[in-house]
Amino acid sequence: EYGLAPQSQFPDQIHHLEKAWNKMKTLAEKGKPLYMLGRSAGGQLAGVLAAKLSKVEVQGLILMYTPADLVWGYAHPGNPLVLDSRAVLQNFLGGSVHQKKELYEYASLNYLATNNFPPVLMIHGLKDELVAFGHNIRLI
């Protein structure tokens, strides 16, 4: 589990997940591949942690309806009748994209996915009203 905003702000959640990942590595059978799975915000956090580690430690990611580009997501919010996604991002990152652009980029997988990034399976519905499918397109 990771701390929720606004009590915990990013990157606190990455530190929480890193502790859990390190514990899981000690429990895993030696030589067995380890994968991460996350959905929605959990997928975004798993991706940031995977980028921080390496594809030696994380053999792959399964991301389900994951906000991969928080800068783009702030500019293209979901349906406000369902959720005020800009307010969620501001609580999560401690300000607007204009105030905290570097932090928004650090929390965005498409800024972190390099040659060292593990393979990714993305699962996302085309009519998602909270997290736009465009996040997947931007990560490709």
Side-chain angles (χ1 to χ4, degrees):
E1 291 189 27
Y2 55 85
L4 301 176
Q7 293 79 13
S8 288
Q9 287 186 336
F10 186 83
D12 291 347
Q13 294 85 354
I14 299 302
H15 303 304
H16 303 155
L17 292 179
E18 196 166 24
K19 286 180 187 177
W21 180 257
N22 290 332
K23 178 69 173 177
M24 191 176 77
K25 283 191 320 187
T26 64
L27 299 174
E29 191 176 327
K30 293 265 188 232
K32 293 288 184 182
L34 295 174
Y35 298 85
M36 287 187 189
L37 177 137
R39 60 183 187 83
S40 196
Q44 178 264 333
L45 294 170
V48 172
L49 180 57
K52 185 177 179 181
L53 301 170
S54 72
K55 62 181 174 184
V56 172
E57 286 190 75
V58 182
Q59 280 70 45
L61 286 167
I62 302 168
L63 303 178
M64 300 170 63
Y65 45 95
T66 295
D69 184 344
L70 303 187
V71 175
W72 182 84
Y74 193 89
H76 301 89
N79 182 343
L81 297 175
V82 178
L83 179 75
D84 183 353
S85 57
R86 283 189 176 147
V88 169
L89 287 170
Q90 288 175 11
N91 282 331
F92 178 55
L93 295 161
S96 73
V97 72
H98 309 292
Q99 298 165 318
K100 305 268 185 169
K101 186 166 186 199
E102 287 183 12
L103 195 57
Y104 275 72
E105 290 174 356
Y106 173 61
S108 297
L109 307 186
N110 65 316
Y111 289 87
L112 303 173
T114 64
N115 291 337
N116 199 38
F117 204 69
V120 179
L121 168 64
M122 297 181 289
I123 302 168
H124 202 124
L126 291 173
K127 295 186 179 186
D128 189 329
E129 293 195 49
L130 293 178
V131 179
F133 183 77
H135 284 277
N136 282 353
I137 301 301
R138 297 185 61 74
L139 187 55
I140 295 172

